[in-house]
């Protein structure tokens, strides 16, 4: 930037781009790449080397220093839970509190301490509200497990492998990236329920062997966004006896404990497991003293620093996220305790968004509606950023609105997403969702689960139904029957639950419900599909579907309805239901 500015101002300058890049920049870059940080040139030396007359004005105030205060007892509790797990026990620690209270920061801090031990393996991940992948409560943890196994020598991986790797990789295909897991085991293929049982047992065996060798920590953040299949799998992993020695840290919003389809069965199931060490760690709002110390540490020097920190601490009321947002608001707005008084979190976030230029604001809105991490190139394309606006990401990071790894972007907190999305008019939201669809389709093989969400939000219900069906079939293949049934139902809702909807969708719904052991619902799905097939003149298909419905009803003990359905099936093939086993045998012999 300095070079370009000087070239425009003084074209004959020896620091023009044509002269500077081959020599001066080459020397400067080599100096900046020095292994020893102390040997690298300072900012002043860099500017002097570039011939800058004066340092350029910063676009925003410098970021506050990283600091940590309070939460000593919570950190100690997590450390004690890990010590118990490392001693051979299975320990579950439930970290819960209100939104923005600091649960994620607390868990990250604890995991950083644990990960310093070479004999500890930390597999961490989080759930996202709009993510529809099978086993989304464990999806990121399985990704972390895959990366860990891929780094190990082949002999070490072989020592950890369960017997049935084929079933395991069918449910979690990402594990095939580990060469030792990408090979058949020649075990006989069973039905879907049996394969799922074997896969869950294989994961339990793998984690058990890993936990026997090293301290093992599984951490799932925002478990309230998980699904029913994840809850069932977690309970299987933790079931006694001989559960893997590990520490499971599950964090979630307290207010979602009863409404979440994942949390409710998971918490109830934990209570039903005998001898399981379950610990509850509520995260309360920061104490006023700690909040004041945190605000004081993050504010710049000045005569009003102490009074301003006290005002921020009072206004934040112990909410760590609100406190950080208020600090940033005050740093941007200038000194004065009145700046922090009577301000709501929504006002603070809206003010931060209003200060953004158009490019960063569009990127922020795109990420808010994406509601999950998305690749950088997809986010930039969906936001319509021009080459001159590709610095938008840096601007959002400087404003503490963005986080994420190098290849993926996401907003720093759910509250930012909620505020930004709520401020967008419905028409603007639909258009942005449509741009996300186009960007996802233009930049590789987009997941049908993600496409379905944005297609439905953009108003394209027909295409959303097609993608939901693809997503449901993927869940079926992963043996995530709960997820598959939910997606099939949603696809039927979008298509219009009438005779024009493909009866194949109802058949697949019936299969998923049958695999879940929900015979009555499965029979209803089969019978509705049979009616559609009959209306199309497909008599044999309708007959087979009614037979399946009768089987499901008889399995669950609804004998009257099941026998009535069975009689209809037999009448259509010229037979009748015999009243006794003897009569049935005689009729069969005849």
């Amino acid at each position: 930037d300095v070079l370009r500015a000087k070239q425009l101002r003084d074209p004959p300058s020896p620091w023009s781009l044509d002269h500077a890049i081959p020599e001066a920049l080459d020397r400067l870059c080599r100096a900046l790449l020095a292994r020893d940080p102390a040997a690298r040139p300072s900012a002043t030396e860099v500017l002097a080397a570039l011939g800058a007359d004066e340092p350029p004005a910063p676009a925003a105030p410098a970021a506050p220093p990283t600091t940590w205060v309070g939460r000593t007892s919570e950190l100690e509790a997590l450390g004690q839970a890990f010590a118990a797990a490392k001693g051979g026990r299975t320990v579950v620690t439930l970290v819960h509190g209100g939104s923005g209270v600091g649960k994620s920061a607390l868990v990250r801090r604890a995991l950083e301490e644990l990960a310093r031990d070479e004999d500890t393996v930390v597999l961490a991940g989080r759930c996202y509200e709009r993510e529809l992948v099978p086993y989304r409560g464990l999806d990121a943890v399985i990704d972390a497990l895959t990366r860990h196994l891929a780094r190990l020598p082949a002999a070490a991986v072989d020592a950890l492998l369960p017997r049935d790797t084929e079933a395991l990789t069918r449910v979690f295909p990402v594990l095939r990236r580990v060469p030792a897991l990408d090979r058949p085991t020649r075990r006989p293929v069973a039905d879907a329920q049996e394969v799922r049982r074997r896969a869950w047992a294989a994961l339990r065996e793998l984690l058990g062997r890993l936990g026997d060798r090293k301290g093992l920590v599984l951490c799932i953040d925002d478990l309230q966004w998980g699904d029913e299949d994840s809850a069932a799998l977690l309970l299987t992993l933790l079931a006694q006896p001989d559960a893997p020695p590990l520490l499971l840290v599950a964090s979630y919003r307290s207010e979602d404990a009863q409404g979440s389809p994942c949390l409710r069965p998971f918490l109830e199931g934990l209570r039903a497991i005998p001898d399981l060490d379950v610990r509850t760690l509520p995260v309360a709002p920061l104490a006023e003293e700690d909040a004041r110390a945190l605000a004081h540490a993050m504010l710049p020097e000045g005569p009003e620093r102490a009074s301003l920190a006290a005002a921020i601490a009072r206004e934040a009321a112990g909410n760590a996220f609100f406190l950080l947002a208020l600090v940033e608001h005050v740093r941007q707005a200038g000194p004065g305790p009145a700046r922090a008084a009577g301000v709501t979190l929504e006002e603070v976030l809206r003010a931060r968004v209003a200060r953004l230029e158009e490019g960063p604001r569009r990127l922020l809105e795109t990420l808010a509606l994406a509601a999950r991490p998305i690749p950088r190139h997809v986010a930039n394309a969906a936001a319509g950023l021009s080459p001159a606006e590709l610095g938008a990401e840096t601007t959002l990071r400087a404003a503490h609105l963005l986080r994420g790894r190098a290849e993926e972007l996401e907003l720093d907190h759910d509250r930012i997403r909620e505020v930004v999305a709520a401020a967008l008019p419905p028409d603007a939201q639909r258009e942005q969702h449509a741009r996300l669809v186009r960007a996802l389709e233009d930049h590789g093989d987009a997941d049908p689960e993600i496409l379905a969400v944005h297609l439905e939000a953009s108003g394209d219900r027909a295409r959303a139904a097609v993608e939901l069906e693809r997503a449901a079939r993927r869940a079926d293949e992963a043996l995530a029957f709960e997820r598959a049934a939910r997606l099939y139902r949603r696809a039927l809702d979008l298509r219009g639950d009438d005779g024009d909807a493909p009866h194949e969708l109802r058949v697949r719904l019936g299969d998923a419900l049958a695999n879940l052991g929900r015979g009555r619902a499965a029979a209803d799905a089969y019978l509705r599909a049979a009616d559609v097939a009959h209306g199309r003149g497909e008599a044999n298909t309708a007959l087979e579907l009614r037979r399946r419905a009768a089987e499901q009803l008889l399995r669950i003990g609804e004998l009257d309805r099941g026998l009535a359905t069975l009689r209809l099936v037999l009448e259509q093939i010229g037979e009748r239901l015999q009243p006794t086993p003897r009569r049935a045998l005689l009729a069969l012999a005849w």
Side-chain angles (χ1 to χ4, degrees), residues 65 292-293 295-312:
R292 189 167 57 250
H296 189 273
M298 299 184 72
L299 289 169
E301 295 285 349
E304 296 178 328
R305 186 181 187 185
S307 58
L308 194 53
I312 289 175

Side-chain angles (χ1 to χ4, degrees), residues 79-154:
Q80 292 168 1
F82 176 67
K86 203 168 183 181
R89 301 173 64 181
T90 305
V91 184
V92 179
T93 300
L94 304 172
V95 182
H96 65 90
S99 175
V101 79
K103 303 180 298 297
S104 298
L106 169 67
V107 171
R108 282 198 302 269
R109 178 76 172 190
L111 295 184
E112 288 171 3
E113 296 292 330
L114 297 178
R116 293 176 183 175
D117 185 353
E118 294 182 356
D119 288 330
T120 300
V121 176
V122 177
L123 306 177
R126 63 180 301 222
C127 306
Y128 298 93
E129 181 177 8
R130 290 187 179 176
E131 194 169 36
L132 297 176
V133 295
Y135 303 102
R136 66 181 181 180
L138 281 152
D139 184 62
V141 171
I142 298 297
D143 288 344
L145 175 61
T146 304
R147 291 192 294 270
H148 173 73
L149 294 176
R151 290 192 296 264
L152 296 179

